[in-house]
Coordinates of all heavy atoms in Angstrom, one line a residue:
V1067 N 0.9 -1.1 0.1 CA 0.0 0.0 0.0 C 0.9 1.2 0.0 O 1.9 1.3 0.8 CB -0.9 0.0 1.2 CG1 -1.8 1.3 1.3 CG2 -1.8 -1.2 1.3
V1068 N 0.6 2.2 -0.9 CA 1.3 3.4 -1.0 C 0.3 4.6 -0.6 O -0.8 4.5 -1.0 CB 1.8 3.7 -2.4 CG1 2.5 5.0 -2.5 CG2 2.8 2.6 -2.8
A1069 N 0.7 5.5 0.2 CA -0.1 6.6 0.7 C 0.7 7.9 0.5 O 1.8 8.0 0.8 CB -0.5 6.5 2.1
K1070 N -0.1 8.9 0.0 CA 0.4 10.3 -0.2 C -0.5 11.2 0.6 O -1.8 11.1 0.4 CB 0.5 10.7 -1.6 CG 1.5 10.0 -2.4 CD 2.9 10.6 -2.2 CE 3.9 9.9 -3.1 NZ 5.1 10.5 -3.1
A1071 N 0.0 12.1 1.4 CA -0.8 13.0 2.2 C -0.6 14.4 1.7 O 0.5 14.8 1.5 CB -0.5 12.8 3.7
F1072 N -1.7 15.1 1.7 CA -1.7 16.6 1.4 C -2.6 17.4 2.3 O -3.7 17.1 2.6 CB -2.3 16.8 -0.1 CG -1.6 15.9 -1.1 CD1 -2.1 14.6 -1.3 CD2 -0.5 16.4 -1.8 CE1 -1.5 13.9 -2.4 CE2 0.1 15.6 -2.8 CZ -0.4 14.3 -3.0
K1073 N -1.9 18.4 2.8 CA -2.6 19.3 3.8 C -3.3 20.4 3.0 O -2.7 21.0 2.1 CB -1.6 19.9 4.8 CG -2.2 20.8 5.9 CD -1.2 21.2 6.9 CE -1.9 22.1 7.9 NZ -0.9 22.5 8.9
G1074 N -4.6 20.7 3.3 CA -5.3 21.7 2.7 C -4.8 23.1 3.0 O -4.2 23.4 4.1
L1075 N -4.9 24.1 2.1 CA -4.4 25.5 2.3 C -5.1 26.1 3.5 O -4.4 27.0 4.1 CB -4.6 26.3 1.1 CG -3.7 25.8 -0.2 CD1 -4.1 26.6 -1.4 CD2 -2.3 25.9 0.2
D1076 N -6.3 25.8 3.8 CA -7.0 26.4 4.9 C -6.7 25.8 6.3 O -7.1 26.3 7.3 CB -8.6 26.3 4.7 CG -9.1 24.9 4.7 OD1 -8.3 23.9 4.9 OD2 -10.3 24.7 4.4
G1077 N -5.8 24.7 6.3 CA -5.4 24.0 7.5 C -6.5 23.2 8.1 O -6.2 22.7 9.2
R1078 N -7.7 23.1 7.6 CA -8.8 22.3 8.2 C -8.9 20.9 7.6 O -9.6 20.1 8.2 CB -10.1 23.1 8.1 CG -10.2 24.4 8.8 CD -11.6 25.0 8.7 NE -12.5 24.1 9.3 CZ -13.7 23.8 8.8 NH1 -14.1 24.3 7.7 NH2 -14.5 23.0 9.4
R1079 N -8.3 20.8 6.4 CA -8.5 19.4 5.8 C -7.2 18.8 5.4 O -6.2 19.5 5.2 CB -9.3 19.7 4.5 CG -10.7 20.2 4.7 CD -11.4 20.5 3.3 NE -12.7 21.0 3.6 CZ -12.8 22.4 3.8 NH1 -11.9 23.2 3.7 NH2 -14.1 22.8 4.0
M1080 N -7.3 17.5 5.1 CA -6.2 16.7 4.8 C -6.7 15.7 3.8 O -7.8 15.1 4.0 CB -5.5 16.0 5.9 CG -4.4 15.1 5.6 SD -3.8 14.3 7.2 CE -2.5 13.5 6.4
L1081 N -6.0 15.5 2.7 CA -6.3 14.4 1.7 C -5.3 13.3 1.8 O -4.1 13.7 1.7 CB -6.4 15.1 0.3 CG -6.4 14.1 -0.9 CD1 -7.8 13.4 -0.9 CD2 -6.2 14.8 -2.2
I1082 N -5.7 12.1 1.8 CA -4.8 11.0 1.7 C -5.2 10.1 0.5 O -6.3 9.7 0.5 CB -4.8 10.1 3.0 CG1 -4.4 10.9 4.3 CG2 -3.8 9.0 2.9 CD1 -4.5 10.2 5.6
N1083 N -4.3 10.0 -0.4 CA -4.5 9.1 -1.5 C -3.9 7.8 -1.3 O -2.7 7.7 -0.9 CB -4.0 9.7 -2.9 CG -4.9 10.9 -3.3 OD1 -6.1 10.9 -3.1 ND2 -4.2 11.9 -3.9
L1084 N -4.6 6.7 -1.6 CA -4.1 5.3 -1.3 C -4.0 4.6 -2.7 O -5.0 4.7 -3.4 CB -5.0 4.6 -0.4 CG -5.1 5.2 1.0 CD1 -6.2 4.4 1.7 CD2 -3.8 5.1 1.8
I1085 N -3.0 3.8 -2.8 CA -2.9 2.8 -3.9 C -2.6 1.4 -3.2 O -1.6 1.4 -2.5 CB -1.9 3.1 -4.9 CG1 -2.1 4.5 -5.6 CG2 -1.8 2.1 -6.0 CD1 -1.1 5.0 -6.5
D1086 N -3.5 0.5 -3.4 CA -3.4 -0.7 -2.7 C -3.0 -1.8 -3.7 O -3.9 -2.3 -4.5 CB -4.7 -1.1 -2.0 CG -4.6 -2.3 -1.1 OD1 -3.6 -3.1 -1.1 OD2 -5.6 -2.5 -0.2
Y1087 N -1.8 -2.3 -3.7 CA -1.3 -3.3 -4.6 C -1.5 -4.7 -4.1 O -1.1 -5.7 -4.8 CB 0.2 -3.1 -4.9 CG 0.4 -1.8 -5.7 CD1 1.0 -0.7 -5.1 CD2 0.1 -1.7 -7.0 CE1 1.3 0.5 -5.8 CE2 0.4 -0.5 -7.7 CZ 1.0 0.5 -7.1 OH 1.2 1.7 -7.8
R1088 N -2.0 -4.9 -2.9 CA -2.1 -6.2 -2.3 C -3.1 -7.0 -3.1 O -4.2 -6.6 -3.6 CB -2.6 -6.1 -0.9 CG -1.7 -5.3 0.0 CD -2.2 -5.1 1.4 NE -3.5 -4.4 1.4 CZ -4.2 -4.2 2.4 NH1 -4.0 -4.8 3.6 NH2 -5.3 -3.5 2.3
A1089 N -2.7 -8.4 -3.3 CA -3.6 -9.3 -3.9 C -4.9 -9.5 -3.1 O -6.0 -9.6 -3.7 CB -2.9 -10.5 -4.3
E1090 N -4.7 -9.8 -1.9 CA -5.9 -10.0 -1.0 C -6.0 -8.8 -0.1 O -5.2 -8.4 0.7 CB -5.6 -11.2 -0.2 CG -6.8 -11.7 0.7 CD -6.6 -12.9 1.4 OE1 -6.0 -13.8 0.8 OE2 -6.9 -13.0 2.6
K1091 N -7.2 -8.2 -0.3 CA -7.4 -6.9 0.5 C -8.0 -7.2 1.8 O -9.1 -7.8 2.0 CB -8.4 -6.0 -0.3 CG -7.8 -5.6 -1.6 CD -7.9 -4.2 -1.9 CE -7.3 -4.0 -3.3 NZ -7.7 -2.8 -3.9
N1092 N -7.4 -6.6 2.8 CA -7.9 -6.6 4.2 C -7.9 -5.2 4.7 O -7.4 -4.3 4.0 CB -6.9 -7.4 5.1 CG -6.8 -8.9 4.7 OD1 -7.8 -9.5 4.5 ND2 -5.6 -9.4 4.5
R1093 N -8.5 -5.0 5.8 CA -8.5 -3.6 6.3 C -7.1 -3.2 6.7 O -6.2 -4.1 7.0 CB -9.5 -3.5 7.5 CG -9.1 -4.4 8.6 CD -10.2 -4.4 9.7 NE -9.8 -5.4 10.7 CZ -10.2 -5.5 11.9 NH1 -11.3 -4.8 12.2 NH2 -9.8 -6.3 12.7
L1094 N -6.9 -1.9 6.8 CA -5.6 -1.4 7.2 C -5.7 -0.2 8.1 O -6.8 0.4 8.1 CB -4.6 -1.1 6.0 CG -5.1 0.1 5.1 CD1 -4.1 1.1 5.0 CD2 -5.3 -0.6 3.6
L1095 N -4.7 0.1 8.9 CA -4.8 1.2 9.8 C -3.8 2.3 9.4 O -2.6 2.0 9.1 CB -4.4 0.6 11.2 CG -4.5 1.6 12.4 CD1 -5.9 2.0 12.6 CD2 -3.9 1.0 13.6
I1096 N -4.3 3.5 9.3 CA -3.5 4.6 9.0 C -3.3 5.5 10.2 O -4.2 5.6 11.0 CB -4.1 5.4 7.9 CG1 -4.0 4.7 6.6 CG2 -3.4 6.8 7.7 CD1 -4.6 5.5 5.4
E1097 N -2.1 6.0 10.5 CA -1.8 6.7 11.7 C -1.3 8.1 11.2 O -0.5 8.2 10.3 CB -0.7 6.1 12.5 CG -0.4 6.7 13.7 CD 0.7 6.0 14.5 OE1 0.4 4.8 15.0 OE2 1.8 6.4 14.7
V1098 N -1.9 9.2 11.6 CA -1.6 10.5 11.2 C -1.2 11.4 12.4 O -1.9 11.3 13.5 CB -2.9 11.2 10.6 CG1 -2.6 12.6 10.2 CG2 -3.3 10.4 9.3
D1099 N -0.1 12.1 12.3 CA 0.3 13.0 13.3 C -0.6 14.2 13.4 O -0.5 15.1 12.5 CB 1.8 13.5 13.0 CG 2.4 14.3 14.1 OD1 1.6 15.1 14.9 OD2 3.6 14.3 14.3
A1100 N -1.5 14.2 14.4 CA -2.6 15.1 14.5 C -2.1 16.6 14.7 O -2.6 17.5 14.0 CB -3.5 14.8 15.7
E1101 N -1.1 16.8 15.5 CA -0.5 18.2 15.7 C 0.1 18.7 14.4 O -0.1 19.9 14.1 CB 0.5 18.1 16.8 CG 0.8 19.5 17.3 CD 1.6 19.5 18.6 OE1 1.3 18.7 19.5 OE2 2.5 20.4 18.7
F1102 N 0.9 17.9 13.8 CA 1.6 18.3 12.6 C 0.7 18.8 11.5 O 0.9 19.8 10.8 CB 2.5 17.2 12.0 CG 3.2 17.6 10.7 CD1 4.4 18.4 10.8 CD2 2.7 17.2 9.5 CE1 5.1 18.7 9.6 CE2 3.5 17.6 8.3 CZ 4.6 18.3 8.4
Y1103 N -0.5 18.1 11.3 CA -1.4 18.4 10.3 C -2.6 19.4 10.8 O -3.5 19.7 10.1 CB -2.1 17.2 9.7 CG -1.2 16.5 8.8 CD1 -0.4 15.4 9.2 CD2 -0.9 17.0 7.5 CE1 0.5 14.8 8.3 CE2 0.0 16.4 6.7 CZ 0.7 15.3 7.1 OH 1.6 14.7 6.2
G1104 N -2.5 19.8 12.0 CA -3.5 20.7 12.7 C -4.9 20.1 12.9 O -5.8 20.8 12.7
L1105 N -4.9 18.8 13.1 CA -6.1 18.1 13.2 C -6.3 17.6 14.7 O -6.7 16.4 15.0 CB -6.2 16.9 12.3 CG -6.1 17.3 10.8 CD1 -6.0 16.1 9.9 CD2 -7.4 18.1 10.4
T1106 N -6.1 18.4 15.7 CA -6.1 18.0 17.0 C -7.6 18.1 17.7 O -7.8 17.6 18.7 CB -5.2 18.9 17.9 OG1 -5.4 20.3 17.7 CG2 -3.8 18.6 17.5
D1107 N -8.5 18.8 17.0 CA -9.9 18.9 17.5 C -10.7 17.7 16.9 O -10.1 16.8 16.2 CB -10.5 20.2 17.0 CG -9.8 21.4 17.6 OD1 -9.4 21.3 18.8 OD2 -9.5 22.4 16.9
K1108 N -12.0 17.8 17.0 CA -12.8 16.7 16.5 C -12.7 16.7 14.9 O -12.7 17.8 14.3 CB -14.3 17.0 16.9 CG -15.2 15.9 16.5 CD -16.6 16.1 17.1 CE -17.5 15.1 16.6 NZ -18.0 14.1 17.6
V1109 N -12.6 15.5 14.5 CA -12.3 15.3 13.0 C -13.3 14.4 12.4 O -13.7 13.4 12.9 CB -10.8 14.8 12.8 CG1 -10.6 14.4 11.4 CG2 -9.8 15.7 13.4
A1110 N -13.8 14.7 11.2 CA -14.7 13.9 10.4 C -13.8 13.2 9.3 O -12.8 13.8 8.8 CB -15.8 14.6 9.7
C1111 N -14.1 12.0 8.9 CA -13.3 11.3 7.9 C -14.2 10.5 7.0 O -15.2 9.9 7.4 CB -12.4 10.4 8.7 SG -11.2 9.5 7.6
K1112 N -13.9 10.6 5.7 CA -14.6 9.9 4.7 C -13.7 9.3 3.7 O -12.8 9.9 3.2 CB -15.6 10.9 4.0 CG -16.8 10.2 3.3 CD -17.9 11.2 3.1 CE -19.1 10.4 2.7 NZ -20.3 11.2 2.5
L1113 N -14.1 8.1 3.2 CA -13.4 7.3 2.2 C -14.2 7.4 0.9 O -15.4 7.3 0.9 CB -13.3 5.8 2.6 CG -12.8 4.9 1.6 CD1 -11.3 4.9 1.4 CD2 -13.3 3.5 1.8
Y1114 N -13.5 7.7 -0.2 CA -14.0 7.7 -1.6 C -13.2 6.7 -2.4 O -12.0 6.8 -2.4 CB -13.9 9.0 -2.2 CG -14.6 10.1 -1.4 CD1 -14.1 10.9 -0.4 CD2 -16.0 10.4 -1.7 CE1 -14.8 11.8 0.3 CE2 -16.7 11.4 -1.0 CZ -16.1 12.1 0.0 OH -16.8 13.0 0.7
A1115 N -13.9 5.8 -3.1 CA -13.3 4.8 -3.9 C -14.1 4.7 -5.3 O -15.1 5.4 -5.4 CB -13.2 3.5 -3.3
V1116 N -13.6 3.8 -6.1 CA -14.3 3.7 -7.4 C -15.7 3.2 -7.3 O -16.2 2.7 -6.2 CB -13.5 2.7 -8.3 CG1 -12.1 3.3 -8.7 CG2 -13.5 1.3 -7.7
D1117 N -16.5 3.4 -8.4 CA -17.9 2.9 -8.4 C -18.8 3.7 -7.4 O -19.6 3.1 -6.8 CB -18.1 1.4 -8.2 CG -17.4 0.7 -9.4 OD1 -17.3 1.2 -10.5 OD2 -17.1 -0.5 -9.2
D1118 N -18.4 4.9 -7.1 CA -19.1 5.8 -6.2 C -19.2 5.3 -4.8 O -20.1 5.5 -4.0 CB -20.6 6.0 -6.7 CG -20.6 6.9 -7.9 OD1 -19.7 7.7 -8.1 OD2 -21.5 6.6 -8.8
Q1119 N -18.2 4.5 -4.5 CA -18.2 3.9 -3.1 C -17.7 5.1 -2.1 O -16.7 5.7 -2.3 CB -17.0 2.8 -3.0 CG -17.0 2.2 -1.7 CD -16.0 1.1 -1.5 OE1 -15.2 0.8 -2.5 NE2 -15.8 0.5 -0.3
E1120 N -18.5 5.2 -1.1 CA -18.3 6.3 -0.1 C -18.6 5.6 1.3 O -19.5 4.9 1.5 CB -19.1 7.5 -0.1 CG -18.9 8.3 -1.4 CD -19.8 9.6 -1.4 OE1 -20.3 10.0 -0.3 OE2 -20.0 10.1 -2.5
A1121 N -17.7 6.0 2.2 CA -18.0 5.5 3.6 C -17.4 6.4 4.6 O -16.3 6.9 4.5 CB -17.2 4.1 3.7
G1122 N -18.3 6.7 5.7 CA -17.7 7.5 6.7 C -16.9 6.6 7.6 O -17.2 5.4 7.8
L1123 N -15.7 7.1 8.1 CA -14.8 6.4 8.8 C -14.6 6.9 10.3 O -14.7 8.2 10.5 CB -13.4 6.3 8.1 CG -13.4 5.8 6.8 CD1 -12.0 5.9 6.2 CD2 -13.9 4.3 6.8
E1124 N -14.5 6.1 11.2 CA -14.3 6.5 12.6 C -12.8 6.9 12.8 O -11.9 6.2 12.3 CB -14.6 5.4 13.5 CG -14.4 5.7 15.0 CD -14.8 4.6 15.9 OE1 -15.3 3.5 15.5 OE2 -14.5 4.6 17.1
V1125 N -12.6 8.0 13.5 CA -11.2 8.4 13.8 C -11.1 8.4 15.3 O -11.9 8.9 16.1 CB -11.0 9.9 13.3 CG1 -9.7 10.4 13.6 CG2 -11.3 10.0 11.8
K1126 N -10.0 7.9 15.8 CA -9.6 7.8 17.2 C -8.3 8.6 17.4 O -7.4 8.5 16.6 CB -9.4 6.4 17.7 CG -10.6 5.6 17.6 CD -10.4 4.2 18.0 CE -11.7 3.3 17.8 NZ -11.5 1.9 18.1
L1127 N -8.3 9.4 18.5 CA -7.1 10.2 18.8 C -6.4 9.5 20.0 O -7.0 9.4 21.0 CB -7.4 11.6 19.2 CG -6.3 12.6 19.5 CD1 -5.3 12.7 18.3 CD2 -6.9 13.9 20.0
R1128 N -5.2 9.1 19.7 CA -4.4 8.5 20.8 C -3.0 9.0 20.8 O -2.3 8.8 19.8 CB -4.3 6.9 20.6 CG -5.6 6.2 20.9 CD -5.4 4.8 21.2 NE -6.8 4.1 21.4 CZ -7.2 3.1 20.6 NH1 -6.4 2.5 19.8 NH2 -8.3 2.6 20.8
Q1129 N -2.6 9.5 21.9 CA -1.2 10.0 22.1 C -0.8 10.9 21.0 O 0.3 10.7 20.4 CB -0.2 8.8 22.2 CG -0.6 7.9 23.4 CD 0.3 6.7 23.6 OE1 0.9 6.3 22.6 NE2 0.3 6.1 24.7
G1130 N -1.6 11.8 20.6 CA -1.2 12.8 19.5 C -1.4 12.2 18.1 O -1.0 12.9 17.2
K1131 N -1.8 11.1 17.9 CA -2.0 10.4 16.6 C -3.5 10.1 16.3 O -4.2 9.7 17.2 CB -1.2 9.1 16.6 CG 0.2 9.1 16.9 CD 1.0 9.9 15.9 CE 2.5 9.8 16.3 NZ 3.3 10.6 15.6
L1132 N -3.8 10.4 15.1 CA -5.2 10.1 14.6 C -5.1 8.7 14.0 O -4.2 8.4 13.2 CB -5.7 11.0 13.5 CG -5.9 12.5 14.0 CD1 -6.3 13.3 12.7 CD2 -7.1 12.5 14.9
L1133 N -5.9 7.8 14.5 CA -6.0 6.4 14.0 C -7.2 6.2 13.1 O -8.3 6.5 13.6 CB -5.9 5.4 15.1 CG -4.7 5.6 16.0 CD1 -4.9 4.6 17.2 CD2 -3.4 5.3 15.3
V1134 N -7.1 5.8 11.9 CA -8.2 5.6 11.0 C -8.0 4.2 10.4 O -7.1 3.8 9.8 CB -8.1 6.6 9.8 CG1 -9.3 6.4 9.0 CG2 -8.0 8.0 10.3
E1135 N -9.1 3.4 10.6 CA -9.2 2.0 10.1 C -9.8 2.1 8.8 O -11.0 2.5 8.7 CB -9.9 1.1 11.1 CG -9.8 -0.3 10.7 CD -10.4 -1.3 11.7 OE1 -10.1 -1.1 12.8 OE2 -11.3 -2.1 11.3
I1136 N -9.2 1.6 7.8 CA -9.6 1.6 6.4 C -10.2 0.2 6.0 O -9.4 -0.7 6.1 CB -8.5 2.0 5.4 CG1 -7.7 3.3 5.8 CG2 -9.1 2.2 4.0 CD1 -8.5 4.5 5.9
P1137 N -11.4 0.1 5.7 CA -12.0 -1.1 5.3 C -11.5 -1.5 3.9 O -11.1 -0.6 3.1 CB -13.5 -0.9 5.3 CG -13.6 0.6 5.0 CD -12.4 1.2 5.6
P1138 N -11.6 -2.7 3.5 CA -11.3 -3.1 2.1 C -12.2 -2.2 1.2 O -13.3 -2.0 1.5 CB -11.6 -4.6 2.0 CG -11.6 -5.0 3.4 CD -12.0 -3.9 4.2
F1139 N -11.6 -1.8 0.1 CA -12.3 -1.0 -0.9 C -12.1 -1.6 -2.3 O -11.2 -2.3 -2.6 CB -11.9 0.5 -0.9 CG -10.4 0.7 -1.0 CD1 -9.8 0.9 -2.2 CD2 -9.6 0.8 0.2 CE1 -8.5 1.1 -2.4 CE2 -8.3 1.0 0.0 CZ -7.7 1.2 -1.2
K1140 N -13.1 -1.2 -3.2 CA -13.1 -1.7 -4.6 C -11.9 -1.0 -5.3 O -11.6 0.1 -5.1 CB -14.4 -1.4 -5.3 CG -15.6 -2.0 -4.6 CD -16.8 -1.5 -5.4 CE -18.1 -1.9 -4.6 NZ -19.3 -1.3 -5.1
G1141 N -11.3 -1.8 -6.2 CA -10.2 -1.3 -7.0 C -8.9 -1.1 -6.2 O -8.8 -1.6 -5.1
K1142 N -8.0 -0.4 -6.8 CA -6.7 -0.2 -6.2 C -6.5 1.2 -5.6 O -5.6 1.4 -4.9 CB -5.5 -0.4 -7.3 CG -5.4 -1.9 -7.6 CD -4.3 -2.1 -8.5 CE -4.1 -3.6 -8.8 NZ -2.9 -4.0 -9.4
V1143 N -7.4 2.1 -6.0 CA -7.2 3.6 -5.6 C -8.3 4.0 -4.8 O -9.5 3.7 -5.0 CB -7.0 4.4 -6.8 CG1 -6.9 5.9 -6.5 CG2 -5.9 3.9 -7.7
A1144 N -8.0 4.7 -3.7 CA -9.1 5.3 -2.9 C -8.4 6.7 -2.4 O -7.3 6.8 -2.3 CB -9.5 4.4 -1.8
S1145 N -9.4 7.6 -1.9 CA -9.0 8.8 -1.3 C -9.7 8.9 0.1 O -10.9 8.5 0.2 CB -9.3 10.1 -2.2 OG -8.6 10.0 -3.3
I1146 N -9.0 9.5 1.0 CA -9.6 9.7 2.3 C -9.5 11.3 2.6 O -8.5 11.8 2.4 CB -8.9 9.0 3.4 CG1 -9.0 7.5 3.1 CG2 -9.4 9.3 4.8 CD1 -8.0 6.7 3.9
I1147 N -10.5 11.9 3.1 CA -10.5 13.2 3.5 C -10.9 13.3 4.9 O -11.8 12.8 5.4 CB -11.6 14.1 2.6 CG1 -11.2 14.0 1.2 CG2 -11.6 15.5 3.2 CD1 -12.1 14.7 0.2
L1148 N -9.9 14.0 5.6 CA -10.1 14.3 7.1 C -10.3 15.8 7.2 O -9.6 16.6 6.6 CB -8.8 13.9 7.9 CG -8.5 12.4 7.9 CD1 -7.2 12.1 7.2 CD2 -8.4 12.0 9.4
E1149 N -11.3 16.2 8.0 CA -11.7 17.5 8.1 C -11.9 17.9 9.6 O -12.7 17.3 10.3 CB -12.9 17.9 7.3 CG -13.3 19.3 7.4 CD -14.5 19.7 6.5 OE1 -15.1 18.7 5.9 OE2 -14.9 20.8 6.5
R1150 N -11.2 18.9 10.1 CA -11.4 19.4 11.4 C -12.8 20.1 11.5 O -13.1 21.0 10.6 CB -10.3 20.4 11.8 CG -10.3 20.9 13.2 CD -9.2 21.8 13.5 NE -9.4 23.0 12.9 CZ -8.5 23.7 12.2 NH1 -7.2 23.2 12.0 NH2 -8.7 24.8 11.6
L1151 N -13.6 19.7 12.4 CA -14.9 20.3 12.5 C -15.0 21.5 13.3 O -16.1 22.2 13.2 CB -15.8 19.2 13.1 CG -16.0 17.8 12.3 CD1 -16.8 16.9 13.0 CD2 -16.6 18.2 10.9
Q1152 N -14.1 22.0 14.0 CA -14.2 23.2 14.8 C -13.2 24.3 14.3 O -12.3 24.0 13.8 CB -14.0 22.9 16.2 CG -15.1 22.0 16.8 CD -15.0 21.7 18.2 OE1 -14.3 22.4 19.0 NE2 -15.6 20.7 18.7

């Protein structure tokens, strides 16, 4: 799995693009440095994949890290948007 992260210019959003080359897809866990990306408040997270697949994802904050569990998704490419709500 390859991931690229981009911080929004407004500092409230973050985009993570994923490419999953695994033959057998299982869920995976992404860890984000909350302070570095300015996402220390309440955060919403959504997964977007091919064929209009969308899913809201749960975000947990532990020891300054945002933990996001990514379910298996269709195709090899997906995007995740994290947004600070406050």
